[in-house]
Amino acid sequence: MNIALWIVAGVFAFGYIAGGIVKLTMPYEKYAAKLGWPEDFTPGNVRFMGVVEVLGGIGLVLPGLVGVAPILVPIAASCMALYMAGAITERIRRGEYKELLGDLLFLAAMVFVAWGRFAIEPF
């Protein structure tokens, strides 16, 4: 189970960090034109989302890797699950039901990591 938790946390941490870096580095206009949903947010909000994703991705693996405050891993996973719940509500509000599946996958993975690290296995 510990290996599965590490794999899921690592894969999704990479996804969050990559997505966050894109939000932080790509010009807002180009990003909004490409995806559409950023038009509902200010450039500052989108940058903030990028910061949240990068920090959340780091929080999913770094505390466990270095062994300093590993309780932060399930806390980061719980926070990212809440973040994804917000993304899901935005998808539903916009009627983007095809894209909803990816957000549900991220939400389920974060719930799995949080549950696994809080209840099942220590590092």
Side-chain angles (χ1 to χ4, degrees):
M1 183 67 150
N2 191 35
I3 293 171
L5 289 166
W6 272 109
I7 291 170
V8 171
V11 167
F12 284 87
F14 178 79
Y16 280 124
I17 292 169
I21 289 172
V22 168
K23 286 179 182 73
L24 290 170
T25 59
M26 186 179 283
Y28 172 79
E29 294 76 22
K30 185 176 178 182
Y31 191 68
K34 192 173 191 175
L35 296 176
W37 68 261
E39 295 168 353
D40 291 350
F41 299 94
T42 66
N45 290 134
V46 174
R47 299 272 186 253
F48 178 72
M49 289 177 210
V51 170
V52 168
E53 289 180 13
V54 169
L55 292 176
I58 291 169
L60 286 173
V61 293
L62 188 63
L65 282 176
V66 297
V68 176
I71 189 65
L72 293 177
V73 173
I75 292 171
S78 299
C79 291
M80 295 312 290
L82 290 173
Y83 177 79
M84 293 314 300
I88 289 167
T89 59
E90 180 66 13
R91 295 281 191 204
I92 292 170
R93 188 186 69 76
R94 290 180 53 88
E96 298 174 342
Y97 299 108
K98 282 184 177 178
E99 293 85 358
L100 189 62
L101 184 60
D103 294 339
L104 288 169
L105 178 66
F106 271 75
L107 173 64
M110 293 304 95
V111 169
F112 171 71
V113 172
W115 168 76
R117 289 297 180 208
F118 271 134
I120 303 294
E121 301 251 354
F123 290 88

